[in-house]
Amino acid sequence: PLRQCYIPMDLRANHITADTQLAARVGTVLLVGEPGSGKSSLFCRLLHHLCWEVSDNPRGSRLPVHASLQQLQPYLPEGPETPEPLEALQALEAWFEKEVMLPLNTYDPRGLLTTYSSLEGQGLVVLLDGFDELPPGAFERFERFLSALKQALAAARGKNLLVIATRDQGLEYLPEFERKGPPVTRVTLQPFSD
């Protein structure tokens, strides 16, 4: 079976000793690490773990959503103001419906993320990668979007988790994200060494 084909990975960093510790969290996590520290590997492992949880227990698990932030750019609300929290969740949902679900042509996905985010005992695990890889001039817009999304997920009834991955240099573009609104836990991954 597929579970036996996946090579188990044991990641150790400042605050993480296994993928399941991060997957069990609720709230917002800023995952920081330099190239080679394992951010993408951790996301792959988390996604694998969470998909198996949904497969084993569909009514008691959280729905994983993984995206590169660059993929979301066309779906973000326009304007210089911070979007309303629901507007940010709807932008993520529009991307999810068009880019993930519609190509599968399985069922009507409208409202799936909003519904999951509000299910008590369930919720969403949103893994957003590559904040530091955004094009110049996009950082402020994404910070406003992420702040609103953080608020939307914190206000919903589900056990929601938002994880944003960035290199250290991306932190300078997130000054308000960590200071305002629901708390953010910063987890720093150290590069792998021999």
Side-chain angles (χ1 to χ4, degrees), residues 3-45:
R3 287 184 205 222
Q4 294 169 342
C5 295
Y6 196 90
I7 299 170
M9 196 168 49
D10 186 19
L11 297 176
R12 287 185 171 77
N14 288 352
H15 299 77
I16 300 174
T17 56
D19 58 290
T20 53
Q21 286 182 328
L22 185 55
R25 287 181 176 264
V26 173
T28 302
V29 173
L30 194 55
L31 186 63
V32 182
E34 290 306 309
S37 62
K39 296 181 305 293
S40 296
S41 296
L42 180 57
F43 269 10
C44 288
R45 181 65 186 143

Side-chain angles (χ1 to χ4, degrees), residues 3 15 23 27 41 50 60 67 76 78 82 84 109 111 119 122 126 128-129 144 147 149 153 185 194:
R3 287 184 205 222
H15 299 77
S41 296
L50 293 164
L76 296 190
E78 296 291 334
T82 299
E84 292 296 319
L119 291 174
Q122 290 184 275
V126 180
L128 300 177
D129 204 359
R144 291 191 302 267
S147 294
L149 183 61
L153 294 175
T185 301
D194 295 332

